[in-house]
Amino acid sequence: MSTGHVLLGLLSERPKHGYELKKEHDQRLPGTKPLAYGQVYATLQRLERGGLTEVAGTAQEGGPERTVHAITEAGRAELDRWLAEIEAPAPYVASPLFARVVVATLAGGTAEEYLLRQRAAHLTRMRELTARKASGSPAQVLAADYALQHLDADLRWIETALERHTVLKGETDA
């Protein structure tokens, strides 16, 4: 995810200040890592230097004066370009789950015990997410669906790994 592009997307609705952008990011993209305020302001500075945003004024709503940022025409063109790009499927297996199973097998331990514990953890998380969907906002439900489908794919892989564990163990012993 490009933080700059997400901020441009949030600014495409209307000009906003940094605090508002941080709140909206965290609210509209539930399940993602919350943005740090420093990251928001550093990104806004980069966007402004690149001509993608501009200062549209200041606002004071019962607190300190805040700088309001607006997307520029160049920023809108960059956002449109980014939104038109296809997100390439991940070319490599970069899962800590996969790495632990391989290392557990290589280290002479049993990956089977680890896989069984991991399956239980995945099922617990899936129950939590399913319960959250009942009372969540549309964005929270969408985020929960995304997470649930990834967990489901992991569970299918865990089942496959458990079935193949004996074969893998024999291969590493050879």
Side-chain angles (χ1 to χ4, degrees), residues 82-157:
W82 182 71
L83 290 172
E85 286 181 359
I86 299 299
E87 188 68 32
Y92 303 105
V93 176
S95 166
L97 172 60
F98 173 71
R100 284 180 193 252
V101 170
V102 171
V103 170
T105 304
L106 292 172
T110 174
E112 185 176 10
E113 291 173 15
Y114 174 75
L115 286 165
L116 292 171
R117 288 192 317 271
Q118 191 63 53
R119 179 173 56 190
H122 271 55
L123 290 170
T124 298
R125 181 67 177 141
M126 290 175 86
R127 284 190 289 277
E128 292 168 359
L129 289 166
T130 301
R132 187 177 301 166
K133 285 175 55 172
S135 61
S137 70
Q140 290 169 328
V141 170
L142 193 60
D145 285 339
Y146 185 82
L148 282 164
Q149 290 183 27
H150 279 266
L151 289 167
D152 184 58
D154 281 352
L155 279 176
R156 288 192 312 264
W157 180 82

Side-chain angles (χ1 to χ4, degrees), residues 1 3 8 13 19 55 66 145 163:
M1 174 185 78
T3 302
L8 287 173
E13 294 179 312
Y19 177 76
V55 173
R66 300 183 191 276
D145 285 339
E163 290 171 11

Side-chain angles (χ1 to χ4, degrees), residues 2-39:
S2 167
T3 302
H5 289 103
V6 172
L7 294 183
L8 287 173
L10 293 172
L11 288 171
S12 70
E13 294 179 312
R14 63 179 170 72
K16 299 172 184 171
H17 52 75
Y19 177 76
E20 186 176 16
L21 287 167
K22 188 263 191 280
K23 275 182 41 180
E24 283 192 21
H25 170 277
D26 296 351
Q27 189 175 48
R28 291 184 176 194
L29 298 171
T32 62
K33 183 178 177 186
L35 285 180
Y37 287 105
Q39 184 179 9

